[in-house]
């Protein structure tokens, strides 16, 4: 494993070599050190911290200040992995607001890439951020920040119209300047097709093994989910003696393409 720090360019090079990208969410310095030692390529300070750290039912209550706080903590522990931070609920309600909040995540938090949820309505924002030198990770498929509008956490892209919209938005995001794309809870065949069409890396969660990389919520893959775990996740701590072993097993399984397995793959 190379110890050179990761960048959007090195992730793109991994995609072109057919090497799978390993990603996990991370919210503090201690886990950042552990994930880095295990060879995780990308750490996402996800607004999922509102659910797994703060105990909220959704990610909606998470603020920019909280994201900055956790991003800065991860930045202090990380050496190699690329540090991506979420723009939380309504933090990109306008392109101007997105620019201000991206500046906070990068300048105060130390993020190297910002992630934002949404398709067509976010294109202008992605364009503006990219033009200003902000690397953007787009997020399509299930959009947890829109849970109150969609009415639950449901798989997306299962009917023709919604699959077509995701396909179209994915290409539009790349054209607008996005450097990475997260696809959440979409059929494996759709995610694989999008990954093959786009030149930017596509990281899947609940999107099958055909993506260029995988991401999971750290607490889900450590079996710390208090409710029913997501059907596409796996408890990597079960049967292993330490968190470090669990994370290493996840890294190996993603690199080898054995995670997600068929029964962890949505159709
Ligand atoms: O907030 C988060 O953890 C995320 C992942 C689920 C991709 O956006």
């Amino acid at each position: 494993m190379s110890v050179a720090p990761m960048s959007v360019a090195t992730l793109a090079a991994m995609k072109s070599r057919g090497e799978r990208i390993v990603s996990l969410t991370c919210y503090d310095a201690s886990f950042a050190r552990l994930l880095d030692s295990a060879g995780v390529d990308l750490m996402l300070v996800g607004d999922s911290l509102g659910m797994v750290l703060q105990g909220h039912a959704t990610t909606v209550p998470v603020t920019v200040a909280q994201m900055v706080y956790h991003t800065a903590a991860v930045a202090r522990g990380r050496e190699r992995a690329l540090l991506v931070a979420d723009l939380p609920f309504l933090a990109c309600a306008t392109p101007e607001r997105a620019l201000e909040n991206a500046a906070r995540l990068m300048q105060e938090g130390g993020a190297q890439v910002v992630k934002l949820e949404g398709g067509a309505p976010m294109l202008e924002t992605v364009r503006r951020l990219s033009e200003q030198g902000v690397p953007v990770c787009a997020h399509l498929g299930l959009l947890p920040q829109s849970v109150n509008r969609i009415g639950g956490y449901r798989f997306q892209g299962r009917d023709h119209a919604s699959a077509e919209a995701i396909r179209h938005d994915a290409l539009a995001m790349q054209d607008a300047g996005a450097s990475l794309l997260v696809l959440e809870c979409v059929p494996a065949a759709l995610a694989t097709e999008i990954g093959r069409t786009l030149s930017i890396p596509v990281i899947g969660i609940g999107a099958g093994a055909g993506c260029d990389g995988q991401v999971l919520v750290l607490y889900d893959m450590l079996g710390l989910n208090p409710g029913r775990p997501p059907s596409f996740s796996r408890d990597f701590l079960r049967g292993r003696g330490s968190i470090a072993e669990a994370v290493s097993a996840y890294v190996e399984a993603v690199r080898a393409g054995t995670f997600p397995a068929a029964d962890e793959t949505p159709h």
Side-chain angles (χ1 to χ4, degrees), residues 25 27 44-49 59 86 115 117 139 144 182 184 205 215-217:
T25 67
Y27 316 105
L44 169 65
V45 186
D47 60 359
S48 52
L49 67 85
T59 60
D86 261 339
K115 177 163 85 58
E117 292 185 13
H139 181 152
V182 164
E184 179 165 0
I205 172 164
V215 60
L216 279 180
V217 171

Side-chain angles (χ1 to χ4, degrees), residues 248-267:
S248 294
Y250 170 72
V251 172
E252 274 169 35
V254 173
R255 294 239 192 272
T258 56
F259 176 80
D263 63 345
E264 296 156 332
T265 296
H267 298 287

Side-chain angles (χ1 to χ4, degrees), residues 9 33 35 75 159 198 222 229 237 247:
R33 276 190 285 273
L35 268 49
D159 60 85
L198 298 195
L222 294 177
L237 189 53
V247 174

